[in-house]
Amino acid sequence: MKKVNDESSTVIELCSKSNAITRKLDGNLGAIHGIGFIEYMVLHHLNESPQLLMRRIDLADSLGRSASGVTKMLNPLEKIGLVSKEVNPRDARVSLVKLTASGLKTYQQASNSLNQVAVGIFQRIKPAEIQRIQDLFNRLVV
Amino acid sequence: MKKVNDESSTVIELCSKSNAITRKLDGNLGAIHGIGFIEYMVLHHLNESPQLLMRRIDLADSLGRSASGVTKMLNPLEKIGLVSKEVNPRDARVSLVKLTASGLKTYQQASNSLNQVAVGIFQRIKPAEIQRIQDLFNRLVV
DNA sequence: TCTTTTTACTTGAATAGTGCAGTATATGTA
DNA sequence: TACATATACTGCACTATTCAAGTAAAAAGA
């Protein structure tokens, strides 16, 4: 008697691996650069966006986290000067987050560490397949 | 100027999706069955193992979580009777976790909910590709 | 215009998760 | 045997994350 379908067991595997990877990277980045993996992801998404600028709500979506989680997480990052708060003249509700010069520098350094660890994680998977995985992720409906 | 390699951006995507999925399933399972997704995963791994029995440390590995995290999480599950604590006569250090009859029932019911949600998540991906993803996950080195 | 609804964000209370230190048991080695 | 090291687990202090409630501004509708 089968209890879960293929989709479910894949979801379970996905989240287990993600937990393990997050823990590993938290330790790695934390020891070397003083930020966790989630903080790294903030810097990454800012770096990818035009003008290094994002709305908090879009950041929450990109990270798969709640709005309040983003608010709280950003406080320490502002305090240590990796990001700054900007206003949107068109809409007074939004509070934009910007990557500072210092944040960019930390991002670039931490990226080197991440690159090494990430290569280790995918060492048994061919480059073409990595591309393929990423394509599949983009088609997930969450 | 490229900052992160393909491996890194795939890791970032993986963890973002996992966060979003976890949040979605926490809400879904919590509302209907009174357990979060992580608790569901505990029941799932116990159900998959022989005699419905696991060591706490192996459970932690399967979940990608710390040993103390498992200890803490298991307390409420024992209190509501979904799992029970067993001793290992061969090794007094280990404390085994067993899926109870009540836990099995909850697991089976929650699996129905999960199956539905999981199908929705993979709706744009072909069955053959789902198999493929799972195979790739098993080859990750974490 | 005035009112309702939606959106963006923040705060507080509660919960969850971590690392580290400590305990107890088992294993390896001389 | 004795001793050092490794393993399994737990408790504690700290950090992180969430939900629900609240504020304020924008958009939509009458």
Side-chain angles (χ1 to χ4, degrees), chain B residues 57-104:
Chain B
I57 191 76
D58 295 330
L59 205 39
D61 277 350
S62 301
L63 299 169
R65 286 232 145 77
S66 68
S68 62
V70 167
T71 295
K72 279 189 109 165
M73 174 177 44
L74 250 29
N75 284 333
L77 285 184
E78 284 169 23
K79 223 167 270 174
I80 60 175
L82 301 185
V83 305
S84 61
K85 199 180 268 191
E86 312 279 331
V87 297
N88 180 350
R90 298 268 178 190
D91 187 339
R93 289 171 305 180
V94 325
S95 160
L96 299 165
V97 191
K98 180 162 192 172
L99 187 62
T100 63
S102 163
L104 179 58

mmCIF file of all heavy atoms in Angstrom, chain B residues 57-104:
data_model
loop_
_atom_site.group_PDB
_atom_site.id
_atom_site.type_symbol
_atom_site.label_atom_id
_atom_site.label_comp_id
_atom_site.label_asym_id
_atom_site.label_seq_id
_atom_site.Cartn_x
_atom_site.Cartn_y
_atom_site.Cartn_z
ATOM 1 N N ILE B 57 19.398 10.317 15.804
ATOM 2 C CA ILE B 57 20.476 10.897 14.994
ATOM 3 C C ILE B 57 20.246 10.631 13.501
ATOM 4 O O ILE B 57 20.531 11.495 12.655
ATOM 5 C CB ILE B 57 21.861 10.352 15.459
ATOM 6 C CG1 ILE B 57 22.993 11.136 14.820
ATOM 7 C CG2 ILE B 57 21.986 8.866 15.161
ATOM 8 C CD1 ILE B 57 23.214 12.489 15.428
ATOM 9 N N ASP B 58 19.692 9.462 13.202
ATOM 10 C CA ASP B 58 19.414 9.147 11.802
ATOM 11 C C ASP B 58 18.253 9.979 11.280
ATOM 12 O O ASP B 58 18.234 10.393 10.118
ATOM 13 C CB ASP B 58 19.112 7.658 11.645
ATOM 14 C CG ASP B 58 20.317 6.798 11.976
ATOM 15 O OD1 ASP B 58 21.458 7.265 11.769
ATOM 16 O OD2 ASP B 58 20.130 5.662 12.455
ATOM 17 N N LEU B 59 17.306 10.234 12.179
ATOM 18 C CA LEU B 59 16.184 11.103 11.849
ATOM 19 C C LEU B 59 16.704 12.504 11.534
ATOM 20 O O LEU B 59 16.300 13.128 10.549
ATOM 21 C CB LEU B 59 15.231 11.133 13.042
ATOM 22 C CG LEU B 59 13.754 11.460 12.846
ATOM 23 C CD1 LEU B 59 13.185 10.838 11.583
ATOM 24 C CD2 LEU B 59 12.974 10.999 14.069
ATOM 25 N N ALA B 60 17.617 12.987 12.359
ATOM 26 C CA ALA B 60 18.206 14.316 12.132
ATOM 27 C C ALA B 60 18.872 14.381 10.761
ATOM 28 O O ALA B 60 18.683 15.343 10.016
ATOM 29 C CB ALA B 60 19.204 14.643 13.240
ATOM 30 N N ASP B 61 19.630 13.346 10.425
ATOM 31 C CA ASP B 61 20.291 13.299 9.115
ATOM 32 C C ASP B 61 19.270 13.322 7.980
ATOM 33 O O ASP B 61 19.426 14.063 7.010
ATOM 34 C CB ASP B 61 21.146 12.033 8.995
ATOM 35 C CG ASP B 61 22.509 12.233 9.639
ATOM 36 O OD1 ASP B 61 22.842 13.375 9.993
ATOM 37 O OD2 ASP B 61 23.232 11.243 9.793
ATOM 38 N N SER B 62 18.234 12.504 8.125
ATOM 39 C CA SER B 62 17.223 12.427 7.072
ATOM 40 C C SER B 62 16.519 13.754 6.864
ATOM 41 O O SER B 62 16.122 14.099 5.757
ATOM 42 C CB SER B 62 16.172 11.369 7.415
ATOM 43 O OG SER B 62 16.778 10.107 7.567
ATOM 44 N N LEU B 63 16.355 14.500 7.956
ATOM 45 C CA LEU B 63 15.631 15.775 7.881
ATOM 46 C C LEU B 63 16.546 16.934 7.527
ATOM 47 O O LEU B 63 16.078 18.028 7.234
ATOM 48 C CB LEU B 63 14.954 16.068 9.220
ATOM 49 C CG LEU B 63 13.908 15.071 9.716
ATOM 50 C CD1 LEU B 63 13.547 15.356 11.161
ATOM 51 C CD2 LEU B 63 12.669 15.126 8.841
ATOM 52 N N GLY B 64 17.863 16.706 7.590
ATOM 53 C CA GLY B 64 18.804 17.800 7.384
ATOM 54 C C GLY B 64 18.810 18.776 8.546
ATOM 55 O O GLY B 64 18.991 19.975 8.365
ATOM 56 N N ARG B 65 18.586 18.260 9.760
ATOM 57 C CA ARG B 65 18.499 19.110 10.949
ATOM 58 C C ARG B 65 19.488 18.668 12.013
ATOM 59 O O ARG B 65 20.056 17.591 11.963
ATOM 60 C CB ARG B 65 17.082 19.028 11.514
ATOM 61 C CG ARG B 65 16.076 19.779 10.698
ATOM 62 C CD ARG B 65 15.313 20.710 11.622
ATOM 63 N NE ARG B 65 14.975 21.952 10.957
ATOM 64 C CZ ARG B 65 13.990 22.105 10.082
ATOM 65 N NH1 ARG B 65 13.270 21.084 9.725
ATOM 66 N NH2 ARG B 65 13.749 23.289 9.558
ATOM 67 N N SER B 66 19.642 19.520 13.043
ATOM 68 C CA SER B 66 20.571 19.206 14.120
ATOM 69 C C SER B 66 19.958 18.211 15.108
ATOM 70 O O SER B 66 18.743 18.040 15.158
ATOM 71 C CB SER B 66 20.936 20.481 14.873
ATOM 72 O OG SER B 66 19.827 20.964 15.576
ATOM 73 N N ALA B 67 20.825 17.561 15.882
ATOM 74 C CA ALA B 67 20.366 16.581 16.869
ATOM 75 C C ALA B 67 19.469 17.236 17.905
ATOM 76 O O ALA B 67 18.417 16.697 18.270
ATOM 77 C CB ALA B 67 21.564 15.921 17.537
ATOM 78 N N SER B 68 19.871 18.422 18.377
ATOM 79 C CA SER B 68 19.057 19.063 19.409
ATOM 80 C C SER B 68 17.717 19.528 18.840
ATOM 81 O O SER B 68 16.704 19.535 19.547
ATOM 82 C CB SER B 68 19.806 20.235 20.044
ATOM 83 O OG SER B 68 20.091 21.229 19.096
ATOM 84 N N GLY B 69 17.719 19.893 17.583
ATOM 85 C CA GLY B 69 16.473 20.267 16.938
ATOM 86 C C GLY B 69 15.488 19.114 16.947
ATOM 87 O O GLY B 69 14.298 19.304 17.207
ATOM 88 N N VAL B 70 15.988 17.908 16.684
ATOM 89 C CA VAL B 70 15.129 16.723 16.669
ATOM 90 C C VAL B 70 14.594 16.443 18.068
ATOM 91 O O VAL B 70 13.401 16.178 18.249
ATOM 92 C CB VAL B 70 15.906 15.506 16.125
ATOM 93 C CG1 VAL B 70 15.156 14.213 16.386
ATOM 94 C CG2 VAL B 70 16.133 15.672 14.628
ATOM 95 N N THR B 71 15.467 16.520 19.066
ATOM 96 C CA THR B 71 15.031 16.305 20.451
ATOM 97 C C THR B 71 13.861 17.218 20.798
ATOM 98 O O THR B 71 12.836 16.779 21.316
ATOM 99 C CB THR B 71 16.186 16.602 21.430
ATOM 100 O OG1 THR B 71 17.221 15.646 21.217
ATOM 101 C CG2 THR B 71 15.729 16.512 22.873
ATOM 102 N N LYS B 72 14.039 18.502 20.492
ATOM 103 C CA LYS B 72 13.004 19.476 20.841
ATOM 104 C C LYS B 72 11.706 19.246 20.087
ATOM 105 O O LYS B 72 10.629 19.335 20.655
ATOM 106 C CB LYS B 72 13.501 20.898 20.536
ATOM 107 C CG LYS B 72 14.391 21.448 21.605
ATOM 108 C CD LYS B 72 14.656 22.904 21.358
ATOM 109 C CE LYS B 72 13.932 23.743 22.390
ATOM 110 N NZ LYS B 72 14.427 25.125 22.402
ATOM 111 N N MET B 73 11.851 18.949 18.804
ATOM 112 C CA MET B 73 10.669 18.792 17.979
ATOM 113 C C MET B 73 9.863 17.562 18.380
ATOM 114 O O MET B 73 8.642 17.538 18.252
ATOM 115 C CB MET B 73 11.131 18.652 16.528
ATOM 116 C CG MET B 73 10.029 18.333 15.566
ATOM 117 S SD MET B 73 10.676 18.286 13.907
ATOM 118 C CE MET B 73 12.173 17.347 14.176
ATOM 119 N N LEU B 74 10.573 16.531 18.845
ATOM 120 C CA LEU B 74 9.901 15.272 19.159
ATOM 121 C C LEU B 74 9.060 15.348 20.436
ATOM 122 O O LEU B 74 8.076 14.609 20.577
ATOM 123 C CB LEU B 74 10.950 14.157 19.269
ATOM 124 C CG LEU B 74 10.967 13.097 18.169
ATOM 125 C CD1 LEU B 74 10.493 13.613 16.845
ATOM 126 C CD2 LEU B 74 12.328 12.465 18.061
ATOM 127 N N ASN B 75 9.410 16.233 21.350
ATOM 128 C CA ASN B 75 8.657 16.339 22.607
ATOM 129 C C ASN B 75 7.152 16.525 22.399
ATOM 130 O O ASN B 75 6.367 15.736 22.931
ATOM 131 C CB ASN B 75 9.226 17.462 23.482
ATOM 132 C CG ASN B 75 10.519 17.035 24.150
ATOM 133 O OD1 ASN B 75 10.746 15.854 24.383
ATOM 134 N ND2 ASN B 75 11.376 17.992 24.432
ATOM 135 N N PRO B 76 6.739 17.543 21.660
ATOM 136 C CA PRO B 76 5.296 17.699 21.436
ATOM 137 C C PRO B 76 4.676 16.517 20.706
ATOM 138 O O PRO B 76 3.537 16.146 20.990
ATOM 139 C CB PRO B 76 5.187 18.971 20.598
ATOM 140 C CG PRO B 76 6.557 19.469 20.366
ATOM 141 C CD PRO B 76 7.516 18.661 21.111
ATOM 142 N N LEU B 77 5.429 15.914 19.787
ATOM 143 C CA LEU B 77 4.877 14.770 19.054
ATOM 144 C C LEU B 77 4.622 13.581 19.968
ATOM 145 O O LEU B 77 3.673 12.830 19.787
ATOM 146 C CB LEU B 77 5.816 14.356 17.907
ATOM 147 C CG LEU B 77 5.830 15.246 16.665
ATOM 148 C CD1 LEU B 77 6.714 14.656 15.587
ATOM 149 C CD2 LEU B 77 4.422 15.443 16.133
ATOM 150 N N GLU B 78 5.514 13.426 20.971
ATOM 151 C CA GLU B 78 5.282 12.358 21.953
ATOM 152 C C GLU B 78 4.064 12.685 22.808
ATOM 153 O O GLU B 78 3.233 11.821 23.097
ATOM 154 C CB GLU B 78 6.499 12.197 22.871
ATOM 155 C CG GLU B 78 7.671 11.483 22.217
ATOM 156 C CD GLU B 78 8.938 11.569 23.059
ATOM 157 O OE1 GLU B 78 8.829 11.778 24.283
ATOM 158 O OE2 GLU B 78 10.044 11.460 22.487
ATOM 159 N N LYS B 79 3.990 13.962 23.197
ATOM 160 C CA LYS B 79 2.897 14.386 24.079
ATOM 161 C C LYS B 79 1.536 14.122 23.454
ATOM 162 O O LYS B 79 0.603 13.710 24.129
ATOM 163 C CB LYS B 79 3.060 15.878 24.413
ATOM 164 C CG LYS B 79 2.798 16.193 25.876
ATOM 165 C CD LYS B 79 3.273 17.596 26.245
ATOM 166 C CE LYS B 79 4.724 17.610 26.730
ATOM 167 N NZ LYS B 79 5.239 18.969 26.967
ATOM 168 N N ILE B 80 1.413 14.363 22.148
ATOM 169 C CA ILE B 80 0.119 14.107 21.514
ATOM 170 C C ILE B 80 0.020 12.677 20.980
ATOM 171 O O ILE B 80 -0.948 12.321 20.316
ATOM 172 C CB ILE B 80 -0.176 15.132 20.392
ATOM 173 C CG1 ILE B 80 0.880 15.090 19.286
ATOM 174 C CG2 ILE B 80 -0.262 16.545 20.953
ATOM 175 C CD1 ILE B 80 0.581 15.996 18.099
ATOM 176 N N GLY B 81 1.028 11.865 21.278
ATOM 177 C CA GLY B 81 0.909 10.434 21.019
ATOM 178 C C GLY B 81 1.150 9.964 19.604
ATOM 179 O O GLY B 81 0.790 8.839 19.257
ATOM 180 N N LEU B 82 1.774 10.785 18.777
ATOM 181 C CA LEU B 82 2.030 10.341 17.399
ATOM 182 C C LEU B 82 3.282 9.477 17.297
ATOM 183 O O LEU B 82 3.419 8.669 16.385
ATOM 184 C CB LEU B 82 2.156 11.553 16.462
ATOM 185 C CG LEU B 82 0.938 12.478 16.395
ATOM 186 C CD1 LEU B 82 1.130 13.560 15.343
ATOM 187 C CD2 LEU B 82 -0.322 11.688 16.085
ATOM 188 N N VAL B 83 4.215 9.683 18.227
ATOM 189 C CA VAL B 83 5.405 8.825 18.284
ATOM 190 C C VAL B 83 5.647 8.431 19.740
ATOM 191 O O VAL B 83 5.123 9.059 20.653
ATOM 192 C CB VAL B 83 6.674 9.542 17.739
ATOM 193 C CG1 VAL B 83 6.447 10.059 16.335
ATOM 194 C CG2 VAL B 83 7.111 10.666 18.658
ATOM 195 N N SER B 84 6.449 7.382 19.936
ATOM 196 C CA SER B 84 6.784 6.967 21.306
ATOM 197 C C SER B 84 8.277 6.727 21.404
ATOM 198 O O SER B 84 8.968 6.572 20.404
ATOM 199 C CB SER B 84 6.026 5.694 21.668
ATOM 200 O OG SER B 84 6.402 4.643 20.793
ATOM 201 N N LYS B 85 8.765 6.710 22.629
ATOM 202 C CA LYS B 85 10.197 6.543 22.875
ATOM 203 C C LYS B 85 10.481 5.089 23.235
ATOM 204 O O LYS B 85 9.789 4.497 24.063
ATOM 205 C CB LYS B 85 10.588 7.463 24.038
ATOM 206 C CG LYS B 85 12.065 7.768 24.132
ATOM 207 C CD LYS B 85 12.357 8.697 25.317
ATOM 208 C CE LYS B 85 12.336 10.152 24.911
ATOM 209 N NZ LYS B 85 12.871 11.058 25.960
ATOM 210 N N GLU B 86 11.503 4.507 22.613
ATOM 211 C CA GLU B 86 11.868 3.119 22.892
ATOM 212 C C GLU B 86 13.361 3.054 23.198
ATOM 213 O O GLU B 86 14.130 3.879 22.728
ATOM 214 C CB GLU B 86 11.596 2.217 21.672
ATOM 215 C CG GLU B 86 10.228 2.394 21.033
ATOM 216 C CD GLU B 86 9.137 1.642 21.768
ATOM 217 O OE1 GLU B 86 9.446 0.590 22.377
ATOM 218 O OE2 GLU B 86 7.986 2.103 21.764
ATOM 219 N N VAL B 87 13.761 2.041 23.960
ATOM 220 C CA VAL B 87 15.185 1.906 24.253
ATOM 221 C C VAL B 87 15.816 0.864 23.338
ATOM 222 O O VAL B 87 15.146 0.000 22.802
ATOM 223 C CB VAL B 87 15.432 1.484 25.723
ATOM 224 C CG1 VAL B 87 14.925 2.555 26.670
ATOM 225 C CG2 VAL B 87 14.791 0.147 26.008
ATOM 226 N N ASN B 88 17.133 1.003 23.169
ATOM 227 C CA ASN B 88 17.877 0.013 22.406
ATOM 228 C C ASN B 88 18.690 -0.828 23.388
ATOM 229 O O ASN B 88 19.631 -0.324 23.996
ATOM 230 C CB ASN B 88 18.802 0.724 21.415
ATOM 231 C CG ASN B 88 19.616 -0.248 20.593
ATOM 232 O OD1 ASN B 88 19.643 -1.449 20.877
ATOM 233 N ND2 ASN B 88 20.278 0.261 19.575
ATOM 234 N N PRO B 89 18.331 -2.101 23.552
ATOM 235 C CA PRO B 89 18.998 -2.972 24.537
ATOM 236 C C PRO B 89 20.484 -3.165 24.246
ATOM 237 O O PRO B 89 21.271 -3.449 25.133
ATOM 238 C CB PRO B 89 18.232 -4.295 24.420
ATOM 239 C CG PRO B 89 17.565 -4.253 23.079
ATOM 240 C CD PRO B 89 17.295 -2.816 22.790
ATOM 241 N N ARG B 90 20.874 -2.984 22.970
ATOM 242 C CA ARG B 90 22.268 -3.188 22.558
ATOM 243 C C ARG B 90 23.138 -1.974 22.864
ATOM 244 O O ARG B 90 24.358 -2.080 22.935
ATOM 245 C CB ARG B 90 22.332 -3.448 21.040
ATOM 246 C CG ARG B 90 21.602 -4.688 20.595
ATOM 247 C CD ARG B 90 22.546 -5.874 20.563
ATOM 248 N NE ARG B 90 21.865 -7.109 20.188
ATOM 249 C CZ ARG B 90 22.443 -8.299 20.278
ATOM 250 N NH1 ARG B 90 23.683 -8.405 20.726
ATOM 251 N NH2 ARG B 90 21.783 -9.376 19.939
ATOM 252 N N ASP B 91 22.512 -0.800 22.952
ATOM 253 C CA ASP B 91 23.286 0.427 23.134
ATOM 254 C C ASP B 91 22.464 1.419 23.955
ATOM 255 O O ASP B 91 21.491 1.983 23.471
ATOM 256 C CB ASP B 91 23.642 1.021 21.759
ATOM 257 C CG ASP B 91 24.602 2.202 21.862
ATOM 258 O OD1 ASP B 91 24.678 2.817 22.944
ATOM 259 O OD2 ASP B 91 25.271 2.503 20.855
ATOM 260 N N ALA B 92 22.901 1.621 25.188
ATOM 261 C CA ALA B 92 22.113 2.436 26.129
ATOM 262 C C ALA B 92 22.160 3.917 25.801
ATOM 263 O O ALA B 92 21.449 4.717 26.394
ATOM 264 C CB ALA B 92 22.598 2.196 27.555
ATOM 265 N N ARG B 93 23.016 4.311 24.857
ATOM 266 C CA ARG B 93 23.073 5.721 24.505
ATOM 267 C C ARG B 93 21.885 6.135 23.653
ATOM 268 O O ARG B 93 21.399 7.250 23.731
ATOM 269 C CB ARG B 93 24.361 6.026 23.721
ATOM 270 C CG ARG B 93 25.615 5.975 24.523
ATOM 271 C CD ARG B 93 26.813 6.075 23.601
ATOM 272 N NE ARG B 93 26.788 5.047 22.556
ATOM 273 C CZ ARG B 93 27.713 4.910 21.631
ATOM 274 N NH1 ARG B 93 28.715 5.765 21.574
ATOM 275 N NH2 ARG B 93 27.643 3.947 20.750
ATOM 276 N N VAL B 94 21.455 5.229 22.810
ATOM 277 C CA VAL B 94 20.449 5.618 21.839
ATOM 278 C C VAL B 94 19.030 5.539 22.391
ATOM 279 O O VAL B 94 18.704 4.709 23.233
ATOM 280 C CB VAL B 94 20.547 4.805 20.519
ATOM 281 C CG1 VAL B 94 21.975 4.483 20.188
ATOM 282 C CG2 VAL B 94 19.694 3.572 20.569
ATOM 283 N N SER B 95 18.222 6.449 21.922
ATOM 284 C CA SER B 95 16.818 6.513 22.275
ATOM 285 C C SER B 95 16.045 6.432 20.963
ATOM 286 O O SER B 95 16.111 7.340 20.137
ATOM 287 C CB SER B 95 16.577 7.839 22.997
ATOM 288 O OG SER B 95 15.221 8.173 22.964
ATOM 289 N N LEU B 96 15.367 5.327 20.770
ATOM 290 C CA LEU B 96 14.683 5.116 19.497
ATOM 291 C C LEU B 96 13.325 5.821 19.465
ATOM 292 O O LEU B 96 12.685 6.012 20.505
ATOM 293 C CB LEU B 96 14.500 3.614 19.255
ATOM 294 C CG LEU B 96 15.807 2.821 19.161
ATOM 295 C CD1 LEU B 96 15.550 1.326 19.280
ATOM 296 C CD2 LEU B 96 16.509 3.131 17.842
ATOM 297 N N VAL B 97 12.919 6.188 18.271
ATOM 298 C CA VAL B 97 11.617 6.824 18.078
ATOM 299 C C VAL B 97 10.752 5.880 17.272
ATOM 300 O O VAL B 97 11.181 5.359 16.252
ATOM 301 C CB VAL B 97 11.752 8.132 17.294
ATOM 302 C CG1 VAL B 97 10.456 8.917 17.345
ATOM 303 C CG2 VAL B 97 12.898 8.956 17.814
ATOM 304 N N LYS B 98 9.529 5.648 17.738
ATOM 305 C CA LYS B 98 8.641 4.733 17.021
ATOM 306 C C LYS B 98 7.337 5.425 16.636
ATOM 307 O O LYS B 98 6.796 6.218 17.393
ATOM 308 C CB LYS B 98 8.342 3.515 17.903
ATOM 309 C CG LYS B 98 7.423 2.510 17.241
ATOM 310 C CD LYS B 98 7.470 1.146 17.878
ATOM 311 C CE LYS B 98 6.746 0.146 16.966
ATOM 312 N NZ LYS B 98 6.912 -1.237 17.440
ATOM 313 N N LEU B 99 6.872 5.102 15.447
ATOM 314 C CA LEU B 99 5.591 5.619 14.976
ATOM 315 C C LEU B 99 4.471 4.828 15.654
ATOM 316 O O LEU B 99 4.423 3.607 15.558
ATOM 317 C CB LEU B 99 5.504 5.456 13.449
ATOM 318 C CG LEU B 99 4.324 6.082 12.720
ATOM 319 C CD1 LEU B 99 4.314 7.588 12.880
ATOM 320 C CD2 LEU B 99 4.353 5.702 11.248
ATOM 321 N N THR B 100 3.572 5.501 16.344
ATOM 322 C CA THR B 100 2.459 4.807 17.005
ATOM 323 C C THR B 100 1.325 4.568 16.015
ATOM 324 O O THR B 100 1.345 5.070 14.893
ATOM 325 C CB THR B 100 1.898 5.664 18.162
ATOM 326 O OG1 THR B 100 1.363 6.870 17.609
ATOM 327 C CG2 THR B 100 2.973 6.000 19.175
ATOM 328 N N ALA B 101 0.326 3.792 16.442
ATOM 329 C CA ALA B 101 -0.840 3.541 15.584
ATOM 330 C C ALA B 101 -1.519 4.859 15.254
ATOM 331 O O ALA B 101 -1.921 5.111 14.112
ATOM 332 C CB ALA B 101 -1.806 2.593 16.290
ATOM 333 N N SER B 102 -1.621 5.706 16.255
ATOM 334 C CA SER B 102 -2.233 7.020 16.045
ATOM 335 C C SER B 102 -1.407 7.859 15.073
ATOM 336 O O SER B 102 -1.957 8.565 14.222
ATOM 337 C CB SER B 102 -2.362 7.723 17.397
ATOM 338 O OG SER B 102 -2.570 9.102 17.214
ATOM 339 N N GLY B 103 -0.075 7.764 15.202
ATOM 340 C CA GLY B 103 0.807 8.491 14.305
ATOM 341 C C GLY B 103 0.665 8.021 12.879
ATOM 342 O O GLY B 103 0.662 8.821 11.936
ATOM 343 N N LEU B 104 0.513 6.720 12.724
ATOM 344 C CA LEU B 104 0.356 6.140 11.382
ATOM 345 C C LEU B 104 -0.922 6.641 10.725
ATOM 346 O O LEU B 104 -0.941 6.993 9.535
ATOM 347 C CB LEU B 104 0.339 4.607 11.486
ATOM 348 C CG LEU B 104 0.163 3.845 10.163
ATOM 349 C CD1 LEU B 104 1.250 4.189 9.177
ATOM 350 C CD2 LEU B 104 0.132 2.339 10.410
#
